[in-house]
């Protein structure tokens, strides 16, 4: 059984039909990417899974471990084990790095394990440990992205959702972020991520869905997608 499954999923902004009956699944332990141009419905899909968009715009089913979760609020979805690092990072700028990490564990009471998980985030992102007492708003963009991912990990996600983790970052920082994402998945966390950098997305994930004007137009292994002539021409910059 898939860990996450979308069945005939639609989303409406008023009269605008922004996501049009997509089917998508992520198996436990997998890393899956959703690629496509701006405005294709990727972020809306992710935010509806995590309960961050208004429920009245939804039609169809979102299943997590076989249970319907469409319409649940973000806190209830997080409590079930789905955590998201938002596009644009969204750290608490007036809190320190360590205080931000602690906010990611707000649903937990196991203080010893919380401290252990903070140490694990610092192991994964040594820059954050160096800046543990620094206000998050003073961090670089790459460090804020590391912090956003680290904060999501503090909730011990069963499914980690990442929205545009490379956006606005220098190539070397992007490489560092994706090495960490690979490690997180290899250590057992299931990941679904939206990414506009199609090359790095398809080089990282196992399977990919290509979204266009609200619809899934192709789904395949990332290896096959990278060898698909249309995908190469439209999304990978091949002539």
């Amino acid at each position: 059984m898939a860990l996450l499954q979308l069945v005939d999923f639609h989303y409406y902004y008023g009269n605008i039909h922004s996501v049009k009956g997509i089917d998508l699944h992520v198996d436990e332990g997998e890393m899956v990417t959703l690629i496509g141009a701006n405005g294709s419905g990727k972020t809306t899909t992710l935010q509806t899974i995590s309960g961050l968009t208004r429920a009245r715009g939804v039609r169809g089913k979102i299943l997590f471990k076989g249970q319907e979760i469409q319409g649940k609020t973000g806190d209830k979805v997080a409590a079930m084990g789905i955590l998201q690092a938002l596009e644009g990072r969204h750290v608490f700028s007036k809190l320190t790095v360590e205080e931000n990490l602690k906010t990611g564990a707000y649903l937990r009471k196991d203080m010893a394990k919380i401290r252990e998980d903070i140490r694990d985030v610092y192991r994964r992102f040594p820059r954050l440990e160096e800046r543990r007492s620094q206000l998050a708003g003073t961090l670089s963009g790459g460090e804020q992205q590391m912090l956003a991912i680290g904060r999501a990990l503090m909730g011990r996600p069963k499914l980690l959702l990442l929205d545009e983790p490379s956006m606005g970052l220098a190539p070397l920082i992007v490489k560092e972020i994706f090495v960490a994402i690979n490690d997180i998945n290899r250590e057992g966390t299931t990941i679904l991520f939206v990414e506009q950098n199609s090359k790095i997305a398809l080089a990282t994930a196992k399977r990919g869905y290509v979204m266009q004007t609200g619809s899934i137009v192709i789904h395949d292994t990332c290896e096959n997608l990278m060898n698909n002539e249309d995908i190469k021409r439209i999304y990978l910059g091949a002539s």
Side-chain angles (χ1 to χ4, degrees):
M1 179 185 293
L3 182 66
L4 174 75
Q5 189 172 11
L6 274 61
V7 181
D8 192 28
F9 168 71
H10 298 253
Y11 191 86
Y12 295 83
Y13 288 111
N15 293 325
I16 300 171
H17 193 184
S18 61
V19 181
K20 303 170 183 175
I22 68 171
D23 295 295
L24 177 153
H25 75 276
V26 183
D27 293 334
E28 190 165 0
E30 262 196 313
M31 178 151 51
V32 174
T33 189
L34 182 59
I35 66 172
N38 278 339
S40 59
K42 306 185 307 295
T43 290
T44 297
T45 299
L46 224 59
Q47 292 191 348
T48 309
I49 294 167
S50 59
L52 299 179
T53 55
R54 57 191 181 89
R56 62 182 179 274
V58 176
R59 204 177 83 213
K61 292 181 180 180
I62 304 173
L63 304 168
F64 182 64
K65 294 184 170 180
Q67 178 181 345
E68 292 188 29
I69 63 169
Q70 68 273 8
K72 289 186 181 295
T73 56
D75 59 331
K76 289 184 171 60
V77 173
M80 296 176 72
I82 301 176
L83 280 299
Q84 180 174 349
L86 295 168
E87 177 186 0
R89 297 174 278 280
H90 293 282
V91 298
F92 296 109
S93 61
K94 302 296 185 184
L95 299 181
T96 68
V97 166
E98 191 144 316
E99 287 168 342
N100 265 271
L101 292 177
K102 288 177 180 176
T103 67
Y106 75 100
L107 292 172
R108 298 171 55 186
K109 305 297 183 186
D110 49 342
M111 296 307 299
K113 290 183 178 178
I114 288 172
R115 289 192 292 270
E116 178 183 318
D117 286 351
I118 289 175
R119 288 194 296 270
D120 190 58
V121 170
Y122 289 154
R123 172 189 63 80
R124 199 179 299 284
F125 298 115
R127 294 183 192 209
L128 296 184
E129 184 170 24
E130 294 169 9
R131 293 156 175 74
R132 64 194 302 167
S133 299
Q134 188 171 325
L135 294 181
T138 66
L139 299 177
S140 70
E143 290 161 353
Q144 289 187 12
Q145 184 62 274
M146 294 172 192
L147 181 55
I149 294 172
R151 188 177 63 195
L153 291 174
M154 289 299 299
R156 292 198 166 184
K158 297 179 178 67
L159 173 65
L160 178 62
L161 305 177
L162 302 174
D163 194 356
E164 301 285 5
S166 79
M167 187 176 68
L169 303 182
L172 283 176
I173 300 298
V174 171
K175 183 176 180 180
E176 190 174 343
I177 293 288
F178 272 88
V179 165
I181 290 170
N182 263 313
D183 287 345
I184 291 163
N185 177 246
R186 189 162 49 245
E187 291 169 15
T189 302
T190 306
I191 297 176
L192 171 64
F193 71 96
V194 160
E195 180 54 63
Q196 227 182 335
N197 185 332
S198 301
K199 287 183 179 179
I200 198 164
L202 296 178
T204 302
K206 176 183 176 182
R207 290 189 297 111
Y209 292 85
V210 181
M211 205 163 181
Q212 196 174 88
T213 59
S215 300
I216 299 291
V217 293
I218 187 170
H219 158 235
D220 209 332
T221 66
C222 288
E223 181 179 3
N224 286 343
L225 290 173
M226 284 191 288
N227 291 315
N228 180 295
E229 292 302 322
D230 289 334
I231 299 301
K232 288 198 289 186
R233 178 174 50 84
I234 298 169
Y235 297 102
L236 304 181
S239 57

